[in-house]
Each structure stands twice: as structure tokens, then as C-alpha cells.
């Protein structure tokens, strides 16, 4: 059973990746905290998994629901959940359980950070994206109209329990979208993972348990390693944003509705790869290999937005400190570099190349 | 110029209590942080003090407004301010300045905790209550319908600048209400402050600068000392809640509209004193002396609520861990004790005694 320990200046906890974790949840939680458990989940997830979750509890935990979708990742949801916690008698010793995908994890982690100025919580990610990325590292938060994740907190869980049984039931498009974050992990820091994903694409995309567990474990290891070295994103951790600056712009341009997060990251990674190539940080062959792998785990849904619009939207991204445009660019397969002087024309050209590829690949305008 | 240094496991900063701090604000901020300043204040405060504040700035800082009053201490205000920050281009290096009373300080400190997952801020408290209590110690947050301060964060400022010039312009009822927190500081930890407030009541209540500076400084010292020893309120810091459990219940029963916070604390302190007396933790003479001082700095506004209602409202208070009723009770002048086994009938009796005193003193039902 792969267990990855993550230690930062503010927290130390285990990420467990295994089959059967849901069925043994109550004794696992009991080892972590004694407080009364409150599960935050979506009606869909709960409908699928409540029997397995409840099986190990003597007394059923209180369940709070957050509707699915990025549109609900807002302070109003946090307020509503906090109000429900207070009404149900949750106190400082209570334990929150984030049982769902990235939105559930981000909202619940933030709720745990601010309810009564902080109560403990556990992450049980139920999408591939959440298992390999968003549940790890303590970044929590919600969106503003002005942009994604603009309010939030660094708040680590007591543990992350990634039950791989869940992956077998994922819709194919969610699986593919989540795998874009694993490809990102390979590009930025793990050439072996990148190669494994090249060589085992069929098995992974078919949902083969062994192959997926390998990919999840390797991806988590990359993220945990980066976060352990730079918890608060003062330097190294920025590399996890590979593909995310343009990715966030795409999500904003499409009102967070049209694409899955992983798909937007896939497109953003392609733009970043073009930028790396135009700066001659990578070779044409390396660029081809990266883009081929991203598309192999596609198709990425197309969208309508001009390059000018996307570039304009990046200036509101919080990764840009004091007006400079910082980008994470590949310098090979498995290494990246933080480039702080990217100009608007350069970015525009790379974004145009990405859009051209989209038009060529899909026949959409 | 009294400067009190506060050092906790997570922060170290100075609280400066002096005349003329507003007029020299820009160079003071510049020593603390280089980022672009954003002031959060109320239209009233800004109307009174903007000339003094702006005098020392070469480039005027951006000003965001929060309407006055406890009703605006909500997540919706935080969201609106965060949205304004994002639109105005505030980034991770920007500096927030909380310029106002307790509500402004609590909301701005919380906004600083969560905007882009945390940016620095400075407290410039403009009420006596904020100078002696709420600006010190890093507790920030907002109210839910279910109760006061139920969401928030521990988030210390880079500095607290308490300009005593401001105190001379305070409405008398604000001054009196704020002084209830100083009386509390005396009761829980500083018999000299308690005695000073007994002996110099006339000068203090007339707004004498020297007497008020003495009281503010001594009160801040009590709070800073307690917070330094127990930042996260795992033990000692609970003594700062003296008078606050019933005080919060009174505020909730009157929808946070009828009484100033200090007045509610004054009534709550009277109830706690009755509880201490009924447990024989203090003598009748000590109880009389405490209640006399609280009333000397009155009158405390009367309110309508039954003891049963107030007791019921305390069970939702976050100070009650896992169902037990914890109270801070006096054991003398300058010493208190945390009592964890207070029963409902006891609490009901003490609350009745407080209400009887209110009826006797004011002729109100």
C-alpha cells in the first residue's frame, strides 16, 4: 500500500493510495482525530458511495451537501456550510471530511481553515484530478468574480486517503482530464512518469487499476516533494503552475463551465510548450513529444476565445507579482524553469499557436 | 512613546501607543513593508481623519470603504472588498491597512488572511475598544447568522499603531464601552490597573490624554502578555473571554444592534461576578467592588431578554468545547480561574441577578 509522507514547516501527514480505504474509513479516522465527523460531499458522490462509507461507522456521521460544479466554489457556499455546521453543533474538536473532487476539497479545506478559526479535516479525493493534484499540498480556497482561487488559505489536512477503487467508476472524460495533471508532473519533474505514460497509454486510459495506481502514486510523489520544499510558493512550488496561467485564462474566458480543469491545463501546457520552443529552451523534438502526449490523453474540448482575450486575462492572475509576467517553461522532459520576463507579444504568439493546433485538430472555429 | 512588543510562535510585532502616529503614517508603513498600500475604513472615519492620514503620502493610497456597524461584519463584505482589491490590482505584495474600529479591524485582518491566501496588514485602531482589545492578538473574523465570529482566522498584523489623538474625539458612549474591556483587563490580570481606574475615573471619563494613555497601555500589556503565552487559545487565552460568554448571548439576543460590544461585556462581567460569588470564589466585598467599577464607567444600556433566552444562547458559543459549559470566573481582583463544570441552573441564577440589577438601576422592564 503506497503511503507518501509529506512534511512541511507547518504540517506532517500521510497520503495513502490504495484500494478499500472507504470501507475501512471509521477506524482510519479514529486514529487521526477523536472529534465528531462531518462529511462534506456532493449528492452525486454520496449517491454512489454512501453505503461503502457508512459501512464502517457505528453512528452515522452528519453529511452536508455542496452541489457539484465550479460555480459553487464561492464564499456563499462556504457561508452556507459554516452555518449548517454551527446549527448542527460542530465545535473546535469536530472533524471535517472533504469527500469529493477538487471543488469539494478546496471548499471544505477552506471551510476547515476558517470555521471557528480552524478545525481539523481529512481529504478523500474522488476524482483523478483531486487524487493526483488538488488534494495534496494544503492550498484551499474559492473563486471571486475577478478570478479563480483569489481567496483562500494554506491549510493542510490530517491525512489524504485516495481510494483507487473510485477510479474504476470515473467517466472517461474526467479520467482523461485528470491525467493532464499527471502529464504535467512528468514534464516538470519526473521523466520516468512521462515515459511510463507514453508507453502505457492504452492500459491507463482503459482504467487498468495497476497502471492507474502507478500514475497516481508517481504524480503524488512529485507534488509532495515540491510542496515539502516550498510550502508557501515563494519559489520552487511555482513550477506546479506549469500550464496553469493560460489554463486559468481559458477557464475564465469560458466562465468555468465549458472545460474540465484538466482540459484547460492541457491547453495551457501546449501554449507553455510553444513558448519554451520559441525561446529555444527545448528542441522541436521535445516540444513534439510533449504535445503528442497531451493530445494522446485527449481529446481536449475546444473552446472559443481569441488569443488577445486570453492574454488580457492572464494579467489578473495572481501568479504575476507586481506587474511582471512569470511563466513556467519546459527546458527538457522532466525539467522546467521560472521565466519572469515574458512579453505580451511572445505570449500572444504562443497562444495563437495553441489556438491554431486546436482549430487544426478539431475543425472548430 | 510606549511600544509593547508582542511575540508569539507565529509572529513578532510592535504595538505603538502615541500621539501623532497618523500624521507620520507613510514613513512608518514604509519601514514595515514596501508593497502598495490599500486602506480599508468607514466613510465616517475617513471623513474625520483623511487629511491627517494623507498628509505623509507622496502618492495617495487606494481607499476601500466598509459601512459602519456590526451588521456589515459578514462574509459578503469580505467578498466585496476582495473583489475591489482584485479589480484595483492588489497582489501578494500589497499591504492592507485596517483603519477603524473593531469591525473594520476584524474584517480587514480576515481579508488579509485569505486574499490570495494571505497578504500583510497593519492595524490602526480608531476606537478605544479596538486600541485596548480587538486590534491586539491576531483574532480576525466575521459573524454568521448562527453567531458572532464563527468564521475567521488567527492572523497577526505587521504592527499596531494606536494614535491617542483619536481618543479625544470619541463619542462618550464609545469611550465608556471601550473602557469595559480595560476593566476586564484589570479584573483578570492587573490589580494596579483596576485600582487606577477606581481612583482616576473622573479624569479617564473626561478623556484626559495622560490618564487614557496610561489605561490603554496597561490594557494592551495585559492582552499582549496573555496572547504571547497562548496564541491559539488552548488555555490561558480563554481568560480574555471573561464576561464575553453572556456578553455574546446578549449581543445575539439583541441582534447586535442595541448595545455596544463593551456594554454587553460589562453586563456579562456582572453575571460572571455573580457566578464567582455564588461559588464563593470571591468575597461579597470583592464582588461589590467589581460591579461598582463596571457601573461607574456606565451607564450600560439596558436591553430586553429573559435569563432563559440568554442561557440558551450560550450553548451555541464556540467557547463551549464538546458540550461542557466553561466560564472564566474571578477569584479576586486581578485573578481569574477557568471553571469547566458550570451548570445551567447556576448560570440561570447568575443571569437573573444581573437582570435584577439592570431593572433596579434603570427602571426598565
Amino acid at each position: 500500500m503506497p503511503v507518501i509522507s509529506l512534511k512541511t514547516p507547518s504540517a506532517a501527514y500521510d497520503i495513502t493510495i490504495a484500494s478499500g480505504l472507504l470501507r475501512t474509513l471509521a477506524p482510519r479516522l479514529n486514529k487521526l482525530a477523536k472529534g465528531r465527523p462531518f462529511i462534506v460531499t456532493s449528492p452525486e458522490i454520496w449517491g454512489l458511495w454512501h453505503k461503502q462509507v457508512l459501512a464502517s461507522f457505528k453512528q452515522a456521521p452528519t453529511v452536508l451537501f455542496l452541489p457539484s460544479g465550479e460555480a459553487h466554489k464561492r464564499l456563499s457556499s462556504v457561508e452556507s456550510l459554516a452555518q449548517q455546521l454551527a446549527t448542527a453543533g460542530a465545535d473546535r474538536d469536530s472533524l471535517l471530511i472533504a469527500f469529493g473532487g477538487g471543488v469539494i476539497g478546496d471548499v471544505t479545506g477552506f471551510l476547515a481553515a476558517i470555521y471557528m478559526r480552524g478545525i481539523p479535516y481529512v481529504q478523500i479525493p474522488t476524482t483523478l484530478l483531486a487524487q493526483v493534484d488538488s488534494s495534496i499540498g494544503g492550498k484551499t480556497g474559492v473563486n471571486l468574480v475577478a478570478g479563480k482561487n483569489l481567496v483562500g488559505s494554506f491549510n493542510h489536512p490530517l491525512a489524504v486517503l485516495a481510494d483507487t477503487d473510485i477510479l474504476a467508476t470515473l467517466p472517461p472524460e474526467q479520467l482523461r482530464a485528470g491525467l493532464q495533471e499527471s502529464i504535467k508532473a512528468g514534464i516538470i519533474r519526473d521523466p520516468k512518469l512521462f515515459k511510463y505514460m507514453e508507453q502505457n497509454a492504452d492500459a491507463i486510459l482503459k482504467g487498468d487499476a495497476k497502471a492507474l495506481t502507478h500514475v497516481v502514486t508517481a504524480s503524488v510523489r512529485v507534488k509532495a516533494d515540491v510542496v515539502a520544499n516550498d510550502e508557501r510558493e515563494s519559489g520552487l512550488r511555482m513550477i506546479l503552475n506549469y500550464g496553469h496561467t493560460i489554463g486559468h485564462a481559458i477557464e475564465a474566458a469560458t466562465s468555468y463551465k465549458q472545460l474540465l480543469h484538466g482540459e484547460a491545463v492541457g491547453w495551457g501546457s501546449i501554449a507553455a510548450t510553444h513558448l519554451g520552443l520559441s525561446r529555444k529552451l527545448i528542441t522541436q523534438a521535445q516540444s513534439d513529444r510533449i504535445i503528442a502526449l497531451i493530445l494522446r490523453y485527449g481529446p481536449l474540448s475546444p473552446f472559443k476565445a481569441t488569443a488577445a482575450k486570453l492574454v488580457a486575462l492572464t494579467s489578473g492572475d495572481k501568479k504575476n507579482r507586481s506587474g511582471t509576467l512569470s511563466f513556467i517553461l519546459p527546458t527538457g522532459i522532466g525539467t522546467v524553469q521560472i521565466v519572469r520576463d515574458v512579453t505580451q507579444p511572445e505570449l500572444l504568439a504562443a497562444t495563437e499557436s495553441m489556438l491554431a493546433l486546436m482549430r487544426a485538430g478539431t475543425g472548430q472555429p
Side-chain angles (χ1 to χ4, degrees), chain A:
Chain A
M1 186 184 299
V3 177
I4 294 164
S5 295
L6 174 51
K7 196 171 172 350
T8 74
S10 73
Y13 57 101
D14 287 342
I15 302 144
T16 305
I17 301 145
S19 163
L21 297 179
L22 287 188
R23 279 184 281 109
T24 52
L25 186 57
R28 289 179 187 279
L29 294 179
N30 206 36
K31 273 184 212 162
L32 296 164
K34 299 295 175 200
R36 184 179 153 198
F38 290 80
I39 296 177
V40 179
T41 189
S42 74
E44 293 80 5
I45 299 284
W46 193 243
L48 281 170
W49 297 102
H50 67 279
K51 278 187 193 164
Q52 288 216 31
V53 169
L54 293 176
S56 60
F57 285 92
K58 276 174 199 153
Q59 197 177 351
T62 305
V63 181
L64 310 180
F65 292 104
L66 179 68
S68 292
E70 189 80 22
H72 297 284
K73 195 176 153 178
R74 294 299 299 269
L75 273 178
S76 54
S77 302
V78 175
E79 180 161 41
S80 162
L81 290 168
Q83 177 70 26
Q84 289 173 62
L85 282 177
T87 307
D91 65 17
R92 286 177 182 167
D93 298 323
S94 297
L95 176 69
L96 281 190
I97 296 149
F99 183 47
V103 171
I104 296 275
D106 284 4
V107 168
T108 307
F110 184 51
L111 176 65
I114 68 173
Y115 184 68
M116 293 189 173
R117 298 198 187 92
I119 65 172
Y121 80 111
V122 168
Q123 288 272 19
I124 306 180
T126 61
T127 64
L128 186 68
L129 182 85
Q131 291 197 354
V132 300
D133 188 61
S134 62
S135 71
I136 320 290
K139 275 196 184 179
T140 70
V142 297
N143 303 328
L144 294 178
V145 171
K148 211 168 140 72
N149 297 321
L150 283 179
V151 292
S153 182
F154 287 97
N155 184 35
H156 293 282
L158 295 182
V160 180
L161 302 172
D163 190 328
T164 50
D165 295 348
I166 295 172
L167 300 180
T169 66
L170 287 183
E173 67 276 12
Q174 272 209 22
L175 187 70
R176 287 198 308 266
L179 287 164
Q180 293 295 337
E181 292 279 4
S182 292
I183 295 173
K184 179 200 79 177
I187 296 170
I188 64 173
R189 212 172 165 87
D190 189 347
K192 280 187 193 163
L193 170 59
F194 189 95
K195 201 169 181 184
Y196 184 89
M197 291 186 76
E198 284 181 324
Q199 293 176 340
N200 298 277
D202 287 342
I204 295 166
L205 284 165
K206 264 186 224 149
D208 176 80
K210 204 181 139 195
L212 274 179
T213 302
H214 180 94
V215 169
V216 172
T217 306
S219 309
V220 166
R221 201 163 270 139
V222 167
K223 178 135 190 194
D225 183 41
V226 169
V227 170
N229 283 290
D230 177 27
E231 182 179 23
R232 293 294 173 116
E233 195 168 315
S234 52
L236 179 69
R237 187 164 178 169
M238 289 176 73
I239 72 173
L240 296 172
N241 295 321
Y242 179 77
H244 281 63
T245 306
I246 289 291
H248 287 162
I250 293 169
E251 290 184 291
T254 55
S255 307
Y256 302 98
K257 282 176 190 159
Q258 222 173 308
L259 279 77
L260 293 167
H261 175 66
E263 293 182 305
V265 169
W267 286 120
S269 298
I270 289 172
T273 305
H274 283 300
L275 210 46
L277 181 63
S278 75
R279 285 223 169 192
K280 298 194 168 55
L281 297 173
I282 48 171
T283 64
Q284 183 69 52
Q286 287 170 325
S287 168
D288 290 349
R289 213 178 137 200
I290 292 173
I291 291 172
L293 190 65
I294 292 169
L295 295 179
R296 176 74 183 86
Y297 285 82
L300 304 175
S301 302
F303 59 91
K304 284 186 192 179
T306 63
K309 165 101 179 182
L310 295 176
V311 171
L313 282 166
T314 62
S315 64
D317 193 277
K318 66 185 180 302
K319 273 85 204 178
N320 300 315
R321 295 176 82 109
S322 302
T324 58
L325 278 174
S326 294
F327 270 80
I328 317 303
L329 301 183
T331 54
I333 306 286
T335 55
V336 286
Q337 179 182 307
I338 302 172
V339 176
R340 297 185 189 274
D341 59 350
V342 172
T343 64
Q344 300 249 336
E346 258 187 299
L347 182 56
L348 208 55
T351 309
E352 288 288 9
S353 301
M354 172 200 78
L355 292 174
L357 189 75
M358 184 176 85
R359 283 189 295 267
T362 67
Q364 304 283 325

